[in-house]
Amino acid sequence: MAHEHAATTTTHSETSHRLYYMTWVWLLILTAVEVFLAYEQLSVHLMIVLLMGISIVKAALIIAHFMHLRFEKLNLVFTLVPMMVITISLLAAFFPDSFRLNELGVR
């Protein structure tokens, strides 16, 4: 009985560590894609959409796996929805100002 429990605990621990390593690898890959995109000559709008999308995916991975909200879907929704509302609100507040600075020619 104790042997089965130890084997189950060891298997669960190895699975958990593997999940963390895989999440970490995906975060590294997404960060590399972001760095690659920074050196590409894309339009500003496309670049912003791509970088914001990748950032949302990275935030979801971190919240789901490292903050242990993967199995608590309601808490995950309560965490992601306010962050998305705040992000969209900040973008709506600062985008007009950034376009005004672009029109003034300030670099």
Side-chain angles (χ1 to χ4, degrees):
M1 177 82 172
H3 180 65
E4 291 178 14
H5 177 69
T8 304
T9 304
T10 303
T11 304
H12 178 69
S13 177
E14 290 174 2
T15 303
S16 296
H17 288 165
R18 183 170 183 212
L19 178 67
Y20 288 131
Y21 289 133
M22 290 305 297
T23 303
W24 181 70
V25 167
W26 274 107
L27 290 172
L28 281 177
I29 291 170
L30 290 173
T31 302
V33 169
E34 287 177 334
V35 170
F36 173 76
L37 288 175
Y39 290 105
E40 292 297 313
Q41 300 294 328
L42 300 175
S43 70
V44 174
H45 298 289
L46 180 61
M47 179 75 76
I48 289 173
V49 168
L50 289 173
L51 291 178
M52 290 299 296
I54 291 171
S55 296
I56 289 171
V57 170
K58 288 172 66 178
L61 281 173
I62 291 168
I63 291 169
H65 297 290
F66 294 125
M67 295 175 72
H68 308 286
L69 294 178
R70 179 178 176 204
F71 299 108
E72 300 179 26
K73 298 199 184 303
L74 186 62
N75 288 339
L76 184 62
V77 169
F78 285 150
T79 303
L80 285 180
V81 169
M83 288 191 321
M84 187 171 293
V85 169
I86 290 171
T87 302
I88 291 172
S89 299
L90 288 172
L91 287 174
F94 290 112
F95 265 176
D97 197 35
S98 65
F99 290 134
R100 184 182 61 84
L101 286 176
N102 192 24
E103 291 172 0
L104 292 174
V106 177
R107 301 271 172 193

